[in-house]
Amino acid sequence: MAKQPSNGQTLSRQALNSWGHHSGGGQQSYSQITIGFLEAEDVVIPRKAYICVPPALAEEVLAKGQEQPLVHPVWAKAAKRNRYFVITVDSLEDITEIADFARVELEEPEHPLTKVRRHAFQTLLDRTHRHAVLEPLGDCHCVAIAWRDQPLRSSKASSRVVKELREAKVRHGLTSWF
């Protein structure tokens, strides 16, 4: 027998499993599942992602974290874990800052791009693209607009993200020049 839908807070506090049941609960009607999902939208689940910085960029990222004043708080979150440098991001603004840093250096580099640095920036952009949807903003910037439900699998062709952002830029009519 199905339970009557509840408009109280208890329904949104209990998580639904993949079959639409509350943890330890029995059968439910479609209206209860729908109400549970509607009330669960009010609960904000904090997101967190760990982005590994390629070794070729580690010193540059650590230097950005030690600048005073900080350009963005995400650079202070870089930490060394064994031989890797990892940035812990918990907001779309953090991902936007990292992706924008990589994209600007690819499109308008301050220093000549070597093959190693180009690949490192493409890898960093790809790693941010795994966790969030990126959209072009102007000629050489990008912005993270939404979290992905599931992070994308890693890809060997890290230049794919740069190509997709350039194609999106042309589709939006921003510019026809690369």
Side-chain angles (χ1 to χ4, degrees):
M1 182 173 163
K3 297 178 185 177
Q4 292 298 321
S6 167
N7 291 330
Q9 294 181 349
T10 57
L11 192 56
S12 64
R13 300 245 186 251
Q14 296 175 350
L16 295 173
N17 64 17
S18 61
W19 296 99
H21 300 283
H22 292 289
S23 302
Q27 290 288 333
Q28 293 180 318
S29 68
Y30 175 75
S31 63
Q32 287 175 309
I33 293 171
T34 305
I35 289 172
F37 280 122
L38 291 176
E39 290 181 7
E41 288 177 5
D42 296 339
V43 177
V44 177
I45 300 171
R47 300 276 183 123
K48 189 178 275 194
Y50 301 98
I51 298 176
C52 185
V53 177
L57 301 177
E59 289 180 16
E60 195 170 342
V61 168
L62 288 177
K64 280 183 150 301
Q66 295 172 353
E67 288 178 358
Q68 290 299 329
L70 277 175
V71 177
H72 193 277
V74 73
W75 301 116
K77 297 178 184 178
K80 185 173 182 175
R81 292 189 185 170
N82 297 328
R83 63 181 199 153
Y84 300 103
F85 290 92
V86 178
I87 299 175
T88 305
V89 295
D90 53 8
S91 70
L92 287 174
E93 290 81 20
D94 292 348
I95 290 182
T96 297
E97 177 66 21
I98 297 169
D100 193 50
F101 163 69
R103 178 112 193 267
V104 167
E105 287 295 323
L106 283 170
E107 300 291 334
E108 296 177 354
E110 290 180 13
H111 307 289
L113 275 179
T114 62
K115 187 175 183 178
V116 172
R117 282 181 57 84
R118 178 180 293 117
H119 184 67
F121 283 120
Q122 288 174 340
T123 302
L124 187 61
L125 189 61
D126 184 52
R127 289 175 182 170
T128 57
H129 180 68
R130 284 185 209 167
H131 297 285
V133 178
L134 300 177
E135 286 289 323
L137 184 67
D139 289 336
C140 64
H141 296 280
C142 62
V143 63
I145 58 171
W147 286 99
R148 294 191 186 277
D149 292 334
Q150 290 290 321
L152 297 176
R153 297 185 136 199
S154 64
S155 64
K156 296 288 183 183
S158 57
S159 63
R160 171 187 52 83
V161 177
V162 176
K163 182 180 174 189
E164 287 177 3
L165 287 171
R166 286 180 178 167
E167 289 173 355
K169 180 172 64 173
V170 172
R171 276 196 310 269
H172 292 302
L174 297 174
T175 182
S176 60
W177 301 102
F178 295 118

